Amino acid sequence: KAGVTQTPRYLIKTRGQQVTLSCSPISGHRSVSWYQQTPGQGLQFLFEYFSETQRNKGNFPGRFSGRQFSNSRSEMNVSTLELGDSALYLCASSTAGNEQFFGPGTRLTVL
Amino acid sequence: GENVEQHPSTLSVQEGDSAVIKCTYSDSASNYFPWYKQELGKGPQLIIDIRSNVGEKKDQRIAVTLNKTAKHFSLHITETQPEDSAVYFCAASTSYSSGYALNFGKGTSLLVTP
C-alpha cells in the first residue's frame, strides 16, 4: 500500500504571499490531519478533516485553512505568509481517528 | 488543553544498551498514546502505541508502559543498534466527540554509538 504523499516537498515564498500544500492519504483512509513542525514549538496540531468536514482545529490564526475533497485528498492554505510560518508541514492520515500515519512533509521557507 | 512533557531531550547510549524515554500528560481524558520515530528528512513513523485499557505492550525490542494513575508512559528500547538513532516523539490523544488531535512531546534525540 502506498504511504501518505505530500507535494511539493520544498517551497520558498516571500512574506505576504500565500501558499497551498497538498496531501494524498493512504488509500482507504478518510481522516487527514495537518501538523506544523518547528524547532522551537515542536509538532503542533493544525486541523483534522474527515469526509470533507473539518472535525477539529488547533490554536492557529485564521490565515491557516484547509479543505478535503471527496477522494479524501486534502489541501492546506496559508495566506499572508509571515517569517514565522517557515516550518515543516506534515500531513497524517487515518482510517477514522487517532492511529495516524505521516507523510514526508513539505518544507516551507518564507523569506 | 493537553500538555505532554518528554524527558530527556537528548540521550546517548552504547550499542547493545537499553534506552528509556519518559513522558507525562495532563489530561486524564487522554486514551491513546503513540510513539513516533523521526529520521532526518523524513516524516514521523509510528513505531508502537498503547491504549488506556492496557498497561504494557511489546513489539520485539520495543516496549511501552502506561501508568494512568500517575499519567505517565515510557518507551523502552532494548539491545539498541546504530539504526535506532533518531528523534523520538511521544504523543497523547483525546477522542473528542468530533475528531482527534495528537498532542506531542518536544522529542528526544537518541544517539546510539557503536
Side-chain angles (χ1 to χ4, degrees):
Chain A
K1 223 179 207 182
V4 178
T5 58
Q6 292 187 246
T7 56
R9 291 293 313 278
Y10 302 92
L11 207 47
I12 299 175
K13 292 285 187 179
T14 56
R15 278 180 299 173
Q17 287 187 310
Q18 74 164 16
V19 67
T20 299
L21 312 181
S22 181
C23 170
S24 293
I26 294 169
S27 177
H29 285 193
R30 294 169 63 191
S31 168
V32 173
S33 297
W34 288 89
Y35 294 82
Q36 181 195 67
Q37 186 175 27
T38 59
Q41 298 299 317
L43 279 150
Q44 292 186 287
F45 172 74
L46 281 156
F47 27 67
E48 184 218 359
Y49 286 87
F50 181 83
S51 293
E52 302 178 65
T53 300
Q54 186 182 89
R55 287 202 299 191
N56 204 358
K57 190 178 191 308
N59 189 25
F60 278 82
R63 300 185 297 107
F64 292 82
S65 63
R67 59 177 175 168
Q68 187 180 33
F69 302 96
S70 58
N71 62 358
S72 294
R73 191 177 69 84
S74 176
E75 289 181 347
M76 70 162 279
N77 184 276
V78 188
S79 62
T80 320
L81 284 166
E82 300 176 359
L83 294 178
D85 297 333
S86 294
L88 181 67
Y89 289 89
L90 291 158
C91 162
S93 79
S94 172
T95 50
N98 50 21
E99 189 177 51
Q100 298 183 17
F101 299 91
F102 282 84
T106 294
R107 172 74 60 187
L108 172 64
T109 301
V110 182
L111 302 176
Chain B
E2 174 68 277
N3 182 43
V4 179
E5 303 254 348
Q6 182 172 346
H7 299 280
S9 57
T10 60
L11 181 59
S12 182
V13 300
Q14 294 272 2
E15 183 178 359
D17 287 349
S18 295
V20 180
I21 302 170
K22 298 183 179 182
C23 288
T24 60
Y25 62 98
S26 60
D27 188 350
S28 56
S30 291
N31 54 14
Y32 174 68
F33 307 90
W35 286 88
Y36 287 86
K37 174 184 180 183
Q38 187 173 27
E39 295 173 315
L40 206 59
K42 297 184 178 180
Q45 175 195 2
L46 178 65
I47 56 172
I48 196 167
D49 56 16
I50 192 167
R51 299 185 187 271
S52 58
N53 57 348
V54 176
E56 184 173 359
K57 184 176 177 181
K58 191 173 181 182
D59 182 5
Q60 300 182 351
R61 297 185 297 108
I62 294 173
V64 58
T65 59
L66 171 65
N67 183 326
K68 281 215 74 179
T69 304
K71 287 192 261 184
H72 67 71
F73 56 113
S74 301
L75 177 72
H76 304 253
I77 306 174
T78 58
E79 300 171 28
T80 54
Q81 302 165 1
E83 49 266 39
D84 293 330
S85 297
V87 180
Y88 290 80
F89 293 94
C90 64
S93 173
T94 304
S95 302
Y96 296 99
S97 59
S98 57
Y100 299 87
L102 288 176
N103 298 284
F104 284 87
K106 294 290 190 193
T108 296
S109 180
L110 173 64
L111 177 65
V112 181
T113 53

